[in-house]
Amino acid sequence: MTHSRRDFLGSLARLAVAGAAVTLTPPILVSAAMAAQPNARRLCFEHTHTGKSLDIVYAVGDRYVPEALSKLNAFLCDHYSGRVGRMDPKLFDLLHRLRLTLGSKQPIQVVSAYRSPATNKELRRKGHGGVAKKSLHMEGKAIDLHIDGVSLADVRDAAQRFRKGGVGYYPGDGFVHVDTGPVRSW
C-alpha cells in the first residue's frame, strides 16, 4: 500500500508540474492580452541613434508593469555609453498623453533620453548647445523627441498645455524636449 501511495503522490506531483506548465502564458501573449485591456497604456518608440524600436504596454490601470519599465530603461539608455539609468514612469505617462492628444499612431522618435553624468559633462565640454549642467536627462526625467507627421510646434504646444514639466523647443535641431521637472518652457 505504501508503494501505491508513493506512486500516487508522484503522479500527482507530475500532474501538478504539467498543469503549471500548461497554464503559463508566453510573454508575447501576456503583452497582447495586456494591450487588449481598455485601461492599458502603451508606448511605441524608435531610437534615432540606435535604430532600435520598442512597442510596449508599460502600465495597466494605476499599476506600472515592472518588466516593461526595465525594458524601457534599457531602451532609453545613454546611447553614447550604453549606461542604463532609471527613467521616471511619470515621463511615460506624459508621453502617452502626448500621443493621445496629438492623435498620432506613429512611434515617438527618440533623440535623447537617459544621459549619464559623464556623458553630460563631455557634451558640455564639447560645446553642444542646450546641455544643462544639471540636466534632468541624468535623472531619467527628460526626453528629446519628435513624431513623424506632427509638427514640432504642435508637439511643443500640446506638452505646454499639460503643465506637467519643462518643454524646450529646438526646431533647428529637429526635436522637442519634455521633462517631469518644474513647469517651465524655453
Side-chain angles (χ1 to χ4, degrees), residues 40-88:
R41 295 194 303 277
R42 175 179 163 209
L43 287 170
C44 185
F45 294 104
E46 290 179 352
H47 203 294
T48 61
H49 294 284
T50 66
K52 294 180 182 178
S53 61
L54 180 67
D55 186 342
I56 194 163
V57 172
Y58 73 94
V60 178
D62 62 350
R63 303 185 88 165
Y64 294 110
V65 179
E67 299 83 15
L69 295 181
S70 293
K71 286 181 182 181
L72 283 161
N73 288 340
F75 181 80
L76 297 170
C77 71
D78 180 333
H79 66 270
Y80 291 97
S81 69
R83 290 196 176 142
V84 176
R86 184 176 173 277
M87 299 300 293
D88 180 1

Short mmCIF file of all heavy atoms in Angstrom, two decimals, residues 40-88:
data_model
loop_
_atom_site.label_atom_id
_atom_site.label_comp_id
_atom_site.label_asym_id
_atom_site.label_seq_id
_atom_site.Cartn_x
_atom_site.Cartn_y
_atom_site.Cartn_z
N ALA A 40 -5.10 49.85 -20.58
CA ALA A 40 -3.66 49.65 -20.82
C ALA A 40 -3.06 50.92 -21.40
O ALA A 40 -3.68 51.58 -22.23
CB ALA A 40 -3.44 48.47 -21.75
N ARG A 41 -1.86 51.24 -20.95
CA ARG A 41 -1.13 52.39 -21.50
C ARG A 41 0.07 51.85 -22.26
O ARG A 41 0.90 51.14 -21.70
CB ARG A 41 -0.74 53.36 -20.39
CG ARG A 41 -1.98 53.99 -19.75
CD ARG A 41 -1.69 55.19 -18.90
NE ARG A 41 -0.75 55.01 -17.82
CZ ARG A 41 -1.05 54.50 -16.62
NH1 ARG A 41 -2.26 54.07 -16.36
NH2 ARG A 41 -0.14 54.42 -15.68
N ARG A 42 0.14 52.22 -23.51
CA ARG A 42 1.14 51.66 -24.43
C ARG A 42 1.95 52.79 -25.05
O ARG A 42 1.43 53.87 -25.32
CB ARG A 42 0.39 50.90 -25.52
CG ARG A 42 1.22 50.35 -26.60
CD ARG A 42 0.33 49.62 -27.57
NE ARG A 42 1.03 49.43 -28.82
CZ ARG A 42 0.44 49.34 -29.98
NH1 ARG A 42 -0.86 49.42 -30.07
NH2 ARG A 42 1.16 49.16 -31.06
N LEU A 43 3.22 52.50 -25.27
CA LEU A 43 4.10 53.44 -25.96
C LEU A 43 4.83 52.72 -27.09
O LEU A 43 5.12 51.52 -26.98
CB LEU A 43 5.12 54.04 -24.99
CG LEU A 43 4.58 55.07 -24.01
CD1 LEU A 43 5.62 55.40 -22.95
CD2 LEU A 43 4.15 56.33 -24.74
N CYS A 44 5.11 53.46 -28.11
CA CYS A 44 5.84 52.92 -29.26
C CYS A 44 6.96 53.91 -29.60
O CYS A 44 6.72 55.10 -29.77
CB CYS A 44 4.87 52.78 -30.43
SG CYS A 44 5.59 52.00 -31.88
N PHE A 45 8.18 53.39 -29.64
CA PHE A 45 9.36 54.24 -29.87
C PHE A 45 10.21 53.72 -31.02
O PHE A 45 10.26 52.52 -31.28
CB PHE A 45 10.28 54.20 -28.63
CG PHE A 45 9.74 54.82 -27.39
CD1 PHE A 45 9.28 54.02 -26.36
CD2 PHE A 45 9.72 56.19 -27.22
CE1 PHE A 45 8.80 54.57 -25.18
CE2 PHE A 45 9.24 56.75 -26.05
CZ PHE A 45 8.79 55.95 -25.03
N GLU A 46 10.93 54.64 -31.62
CA GLU A 46 12.07 54.33 -32.50
C GLU A 46 13.19 55.25 -32.03
O GLU A 46 12.96 56.42 -31.75
CB GLU A 46 11.75 54.61 -33.96
CG GLU A 46 10.77 53.62 -34.53
CD GLU A 46 10.41 53.89 -35.99
OE1 GLU A 46 10.81 54.94 -36.54
OE2 GLU A 46 9.71 53.06 -36.57
N HIS A 47 14.39 54.68 -31.91
CA HIS A 47 15.53 55.48 -31.45
C HIS A 47 16.34 55.94 -32.65
O HIS A 47 16.80 55.12 -33.45
CB HIS A 47 16.41 54.67 -30.50
CG HIS A 47 17.24 55.51 -29.60
ND1 HIS A 47 18.25 56.32 -30.06
CD2 HIS A 47 17.18 55.70 -28.25
CE1 HIS A 47 18.81 56.96 -29.05
NE2 HIS A 47 18.17 56.60 -27.94
N THR A 48 16.51 57.25 -32.79
CA THR A 48 17.18 57.80 -33.97
C THR A 48 18.67 57.47 -34.03
O THR A 48 19.25 57.48 -35.10
CB THR A 48 17.00 59.33 -34.05
OG1 THR A 48 17.59 59.93 -32.89
CG2 THR A 48 15.53 59.71 -34.13
N HIS A 49 19.29 57.17 -32.89
CA HIS A 49 20.73 56.88 -32.88
C HIS A 49 21.04 55.39 -32.93
O HIS A 49 22.05 55.00 -33.53
CB HIS A 49 21.39 57.50 -31.64
CG HIS A 49 21.36 58.99 -31.65
ND1 HIS A 49 22.17 59.76 -32.44
CD2 HIS A 49 20.56 59.86 -30.99
CE1 HIS A 49 21.90 61.03 -32.27
NE2 HIS A 49 20.92 61.13 -31.38
N THR A 50 20.21 54.57 -32.31
CA THR A 50 20.50 53.13 -32.27
C THR A 50 19.77 52.36 -33.37
O THR A 50 20.15 51.24 -33.67
CB THR A 50 20.10 52.52 -30.91
OG1 THR A 50 18.68 52.58 -30.76
CG2 THR A 50 20.80 53.24 -29.77
N GLY A 51 18.71 52.96 -33.93
CA GLY A 51 17.93 52.26 -34.94
C GLY A 51 16.97 51.23 -34.36
O GLY A 51 16.24 50.57 -35.10
N LYS A 52 16.96 51.08 -33.06
CA LYS A 52 16.08 50.09 -32.42
C LYS A 52 14.68 50.67 -32.25
O LYS A 52 14.48 51.88 -32.25
CB LYS A 52 16.64 49.69 -31.05
CG LYS A 52 17.95 48.96 -31.15
CD LYS A 52 18.47 48.58 -29.77
CE LYS A 52 19.81 47.88 -29.88
NZ LYS A 52 20.36 47.55 -28.55
N SER A 53 13.72 49.74 -32.10
CA SER A 53 12.34 50.16 -31.85
C SER A 53 11.77 49.34 -30.70
O SER A 53 12.26 48.25 -30.38
CB SER A 53 11.49 50.00 -33.11
OG SER A 53 11.46 48.65 -33.51
N LEU A 54 10.73 49.90 -30.09
CA LEU A 54 10.08 49.24 -28.96
C LEU A 54 8.62 49.64 -28.94
O LEU A 54 8.29 50.82 -29.03
CB LEU A 54 10.76 49.65 -27.64
CG LEU A 54 10.19 49.03 -26.36
CD1 LEU A 54 10.45 47.53 -26.32
CD2 LEU A 54 10.82 49.69 -25.14
N ASP A 55 7.76 48.64 -28.84
CA ASP A 55 6.32 48.84 -28.73
C ASP A 55 5.91 48.05 -27.49
O ASP A 55 6.03 46.83 -27.47
CB ASP A 55 5.63 48.30 -29.98
CG ASP A 55 4.14 48.60 -30.02
OD1 ASP A 55 3.57 48.90 -28.96
OD2 ASP A 55 3.56 48.52 -31.11
N ILE A 56 5.44 48.75 -26.44
CA ILE A 56 5.28 48.09 -25.15
C ILE A 56 4.13 48.67 -24.34
O ILE A 56 3.89 49.88 -24.37
CB ILE A 56 6.61 48.18 -24.36
CG1 ILE A 56 6.64 47.23 -23.18
CG2 ILE A 56 6.91 49.61 -23.95
CD1 ILE A 56 8.04 47.01 -22.65
N VAL A 57 3.42 47.79 -23.63
CA VAL A 57 2.44 48.21 -22.64
C VAL A 57 3.22 48.39 -21.34
O VAL A 57 3.81 47.44 -20.84
CB VAL A 57 1.32 47.16 -22.47
CG1 VAL A 57 0.42 47.52 -21.30
CG2 VAL A 57 0.51 47.04 -23.75
N TYR A 58 3.25 49.60 -20.84
CA TYR A 58 4.06 49.88 -19.65
C TYR A 58 3.23 49.98 -18.37
O TYR A 58 3.76 49.96 -17.26
CB TYR A 58 4.89 51.15 -19.83
CG TYR A 58 4.08 52.42 -19.78
CD1 TYR A 58 3.95 53.12 -18.58
CD2 TYR A 58 3.43 52.91 -20.90
CE1 TYR A 58 3.19 54.28 -18.52
CE2 TYR A 58 2.68 54.06 -20.84
CZ TYR A 58 2.57 54.74 -19.65
OH TYR A 58 1.81 55.88 -19.59
N ALA A 59 1.90 50.10 -18.53
CA ALA A 59 1.03 50.20 -17.36
C ALA A 59 -0.37 49.71 -17.72
O ALA A 59 -0.80 49.80 -18.87
CB ALA A 59 0.96 51.64 -16.87
N VAL A 60 -1.04 49.18 -16.71
CA VAL A 60 -2.44 48.79 -16.84
C VAL A 60 -3.16 49.39 -15.65
O VAL A 60 -2.82 49.11 -14.50
CB VAL A 60 -2.61 47.26 -16.87
CG1 VAL A 60 -4.08 46.88 -16.96
CG2 VAL A 60 -1.83 46.64 -18.03
N GLY A 61 -4.12 50.25 -15.94
CA GLY A 61 -4.81 50.96 -14.86
C GLY A 61 -3.83 51.84 -14.12
O GLY A 61 -3.05 52.57 -14.72
N ASP A 62 -3.83 51.73 -12.80
CA ASP A 62 -2.93 52.55 -11.99
C ASP A 62 -1.64 51.81 -11.63
O ASP A 62 -0.90 52.26 -10.77
CB ASP A 62 -3.64 53.06 -10.73
CG ASP A 62 -4.08 51.93 -9.81
OD1 ASP A 62 -4.01 50.76 -10.23
OD2 ASP A 62 -4.50 52.22 -8.68
N ARG A 63 -1.37 50.69 -12.30
CA ARG A 63 -0.18 49.89 -11.97
C ARG A 63 0.80 49.85 -13.14
O ARG A 63 0.41 49.57 -14.27
CB ARG A 63 -0.59 48.47 -11.60
CG ARG A 63 -1.58 48.45 -10.45
CD ARG A 63 -1.86 47.07 -10.06
NE ARG A 63 -0.83 46.75 -9.07
CZ ARG A 63 -0.90 45.71 -8.29
NH1 ARG A 63 -1.89 44.88 -8.39
NH2 ARG A 63 0.05 45.48 -7.40
N TYR A 64 2.04 50.15 -12.83
CA TYR A 64 3.10 50.02 -13.83
C TYR A 64 3.52 48.55 -13.91
O TYR A 64 3.45 47.82 -12.92
CB TYR A 64 4.31 50.88 -13.45
CG TYR A 64 4.02 52.36 -13.49
CD1 TYR A 64 3.94 53.11 -12.32
CD2 TYR A 64 3.81 53.01 -14.70
CE1 TYR A 64 3.67 54.46 -12.35
CE2 TYR A 64 3.53 54.37 -14.74
CZ TYR A 64 3.46 55.08 -13.57
OH TYR A 64 3.18 56.43 -13.62
N VAL A 65 3.95 48.13 -15.09
CA VAL A 65 4.40 46.77 -15.32
C VAL A 65 5.92 46.76 -15.12
O VAL A 65 6.65 47.32 -15.95
CB VAL A 65 4.02 46.29 -16.74
CG1 VAL A 65 4.51 44.87 -16.98
CG2 VAL A 65 2.51 46.40 -16.97
N PRO A 66 6.41 46.15 -14.03
CA PRO A 66 7.85 46.21 -13.73
C PRO A 66 8.76 45.74 -14.87
O PRO A 66 9.77 46.37 -15.15
CB PRO A 66 8.00 45.30 -12.50
CG PRO A 66 6.66 45.30 -11.87
CD PRO A 66 5.67 45.41 -13.00
N GLU A 67 8.39 44.66 -15.55
CA GLU A 67 9.21 44.15 -16.65
C GLU A 67 9.28 45.18 -17.79
O GLU A 67 10.31 45.34 -18.43
CB GLU A 67 8.67 42.82 -17.19
CG GLU A 67 8.64 41.71 -16.17
CD GLU A 67 7.39 41.74 -15.27
OE1 GLU A 67 6.40 42.43 -15.59
OE2 GLU A 67 7.44 41.09 -14.22
N ALA A 68 8.16 45.85 -18.02
CA ALA A 68 8.12 46.86 -19.08
C ALA A 68 8.99 48.06 -18.71
O ALA A 68 9.70 48.60 -19.57
CB ALA A 68 6.68 47.30 -19.34
N LEU A 69 8.95 48.46 -17.45
CA LEU A 69 9.79 49.59 -17.02
C LEU A 69 11.26 49.24 -17.20
O LEU A 69 12.05 50.08 -17.63
CB LEU A 69 9.49 49.97 -15.57
CG LEU A 69 8.09 50.51 -15.29
CD1 LEU A 69 7.93 50.86 -13.82
CD2 LEU A 69 7.76 51.69 -16.17
N SER A 70 11.64 48.01 -16.90
CA SER A 70 13.03 47.58 -17.10
C SER A 70 13.41 47.63 -18.57
O SER A 70 14.51 48.08 -18.91
CB SER A 70 13.23 46.16 -16.57
OG SER A 70 13.09 46.13 -15.17
N LYS A 71 12.52 47.19 -19.44
CA LYS A 71 12.80 47.23 -20.88
C LYS A 71 12.90 48.67 -21.37
O LYS A 71 13.75 48.99 -22.20
CB LYS A 71 11.73 46.48 -21.66
CG LYS A 71 11.83 44.99 -21.53
CD LYS A 71 10.77 44.28 -22.34
CE LYS A 71 10.89 42.79 -22.15
NZ LYS A 71 9.90 42.05 -22.92
N LEU A 72 12.04 49.52 -20.85
CA LEU A 72 12.10 50.94 -21.23
C LEU A 72 13.40 51.58 -20.75
O LEU A 72 14.02 52.36 -21.49
CB LEU A 72 10.89 51.69 -20.67
CG LEU A 72 9.59 51.46 -21.45
CD1 LEU A 72 8.39 51.83 -20.61
CD2 LEU A 72 9.61 52.25 -22.75
N ASN A 73 13.83 51.26 -19.54
CA ASN A 73 15.10 51.79 -19.04
C ASN A 73 16.24 51.39 -19.96
O ASN A 73 17.11 52.21 -20.28
CB ASN A 73 15.37 51.29 -17.62
CG ASN A 73 14.48 51.93 -16.58
OD1 ASN A 73 13.90 52.99 -16.80
ND2 ASN A 73 14.34 51.27 -15.45
N ALA A 74 16.26 50.11 -20.37
CA ALA A 74 17.32 49.63 -21.26
C ALA A 74 17.24 50.30 -22.63
O ALA A 74 18.26 50.71 -23.20
CB ALA A 74 17.25 48.12 -21.38
N PHE A 75 16.05 50.42 -23.16
CA PHE A 75 15.87 51.02 -24.49
C PHE A 75 16.28 52.49 -24.50
O PHE A 75 16.87 52.97 -25.46
CB PHE A 75 14.41 50.87 -24.94
CG PHE A 75 14.14 51.45 -26.30
CD1 PHE A 75 14.46 50.73 -27.43
CD2 PHE A 75 13.60 52.72 -26.44
CE1 PHE A 75 14.24 51.27 -28.70
CE2 PHE A 75 13.37 53.26 -27.69
CZ PHE A 75 13.70 52.53 -28.82
N LEU A 76 15.96 53.20 -23.42
CA LEU A 76 16.22 54.64 -23.35
C LEU A 76 17.56 54.95 -22.68
O LEU A 76 17.76 56.05 -22.16
CB LEU A 76 15.06 55.33 -22.62
CG LEU A 76 13.71 55.21 -23.34
CD1 LEU A 76 12.59 55.71 -22.45
CD2 LEU A 76 13.73 55.94 -24.67
N CYS A 77 18.47 54.01 -22.74
CA CYS A 77 19.79 54.17 -22.11
C CYS A 77 20.59 55.29 -22.77
O CYS A 77 20.22 55.80 -23.83
CB CYS A 77 20.57 52.86 -22.18
SG CYS A 77 21.15 52.42 -23.84
N ASP A 78 21.67 55.65 -22.14
CA ASP A 78 22.62 56.63 -22.69
C ASP A 78 23.19 56.02 -23.98
O ASP A 78 23.95 55.05 -23.93
CB ASP A 78 23.72 56.88 -21.66
CG ASP A 78 24.77 57.88 -22.11
OD1 ASP A 78 24.99 58.04 -23.32
OD2 ASP A 78 25.38 58.50 -21.22
N HIS A 79 22.80 56.55 -25.13
CA HIS A 79 23.23 55.94 -26.39
C HIS A 79 24.71 56.18 -26.68
O HIS A 79 25.26 55.54 -27.57
CB HIS A 79 22.35 56.39 -27.56
CG HIS A 79 22.47 57.84 -27.90
ND1 HIS A 79 21.66 58.80 -27.32
CD2 HIS A 79 23.28 58.50 -28.75
CE1 HIS A 79 21.97 59.98 -27.81
NE2 HIS A 79 22.95 59.83 -28.67
N TYR A 80 25.36 57.03 -25.94
CA TYR A 80 26.80 57.24 -26.10
C TYR A 80 27.59 56.17 -25.37
O TYR A 80 28.55 55.62 -25.90
CB TYR A 80 27.22 58.61 -25.56
CG TYR A 80 26.71 59.78 -26.36
CD1 TYR A 80 25.55 60.45 -25.98
CD2 TYR A 80 27.39 60.22 -27.49
CE1 TYR A 80 25.08 61.52 -26.70
CE2 TYR A 80 26.91 61.30 -28.23
CZ TYR A 80 25.76 61.94 -27.82
OH TYR A 80 25.29 63.01 -28.55
N SER A 81 27.21 55.88 -24.13
CA SER A 81 27.98 54.96 -23.29
C SER A 81 27.33 53.59 -23.10
O SER A 81 27.99 52.66 -22.66
CB SER A 81 28.20 55.58 -21.90
OG SER A 81 26.97 55.63 -21.19
N GLY A 82 26.04 53.50 -23.37
CA GLY A 82 25.32 52.26 -23.11
C GLY A 82 24.85 52.12 -21.67
O GLY A 82 24.21 51.13 -21.33
N ARG A 83 25.17 53.09 -20.84
CA ARG A 83 24.75 53.01 -19.44
C ARG A 83 23.24 53.14 -19.33
O ARG A 83 22.62 53.96 -20.01
CB ARG A 83 25.41 54.10 -18.61
CG ARG A 83 26.88 53.83 -18.44
CD ARG A 83 27.47 54.64 -17.32
NE ARG A 83 28.86 54.25 -17.16
CZ ARG A 83 29.82 55.08 -16.88
NH1 ARG A 83 29.56 56.35 -16.68
NH2 ARG A 83 31.06 54.65 -16.77
N VAL A 84 22.68 52.32 -18.46
CA VAL A 84 21.23 52.31 -18.25
C VAL A 84 20.91 53.06 -16.97
O VAL A 84 21.52 52.83 -15.93
CB VAL A 84 20.72 50.85 -18.15
CG1 VAL A 84 19.23 50.81 -17.84
CG2 VAL A 84 21.02 50.09 -19.45
N GLY A 85 19.97 53.97 -17.07
CA GLY A 85 19.51 54.71 -15.90
C GLY A 85 18.09 54.28 -15.57
O GLY A 85 17.51 53.42 -16.23
N ARG A 86 17.54 54.90 -14.57
CA ARG A 86 16.15 54.61 -14.18
C ARG A 86 15.29 55.79 -14.64
O ARG A 86 15.42 56.89 -14.13
CB ARG A 86 16.06 54.42 -12.67
CG ARG A 86 14.67 54.03 -12.22
CD ARG A 86 14.65 53.76 -10.71
NE ARG A 86 13.30 53.54 -10.26
CZ ARG A 86 12.42 54.50 -9.97
NH1 ARG A 86 12.78 55.76 -10.05
NH2 ARG A 86 11.22 54.19 -9.58
N MET A 87 14.42 55.51 -15.60
CA MET A 87 13.55 56.55 -16.13
C MET A 87 12.36 56.76 -15.20
O MET A 87 11.88 55.82 -14.57
CB MET A 87 13.06 56.17 -17.54
CG MET A 87 14.17 55.98 -18.57
SD MET A 87 15.18 57.46 -18.85
CE MET A 87 14.01 58.56 -19.62
N ASP A 88 11.88 57.98 -15.14
CA ASP A 88 10.72 58.34 -14.33
C ASP A 88 9.46 57.84 -15.02
O ASP A 88 9.14 58.28 -16.14
CB ASP A 88 10.68 59.87 -14.18
CG ASP A 88 9.52 60.37 -13.35
OD1 ASP A 88 8.73 59.55 -12.83
OD2 ASP A 88 9.41 61.60 -13.20
#
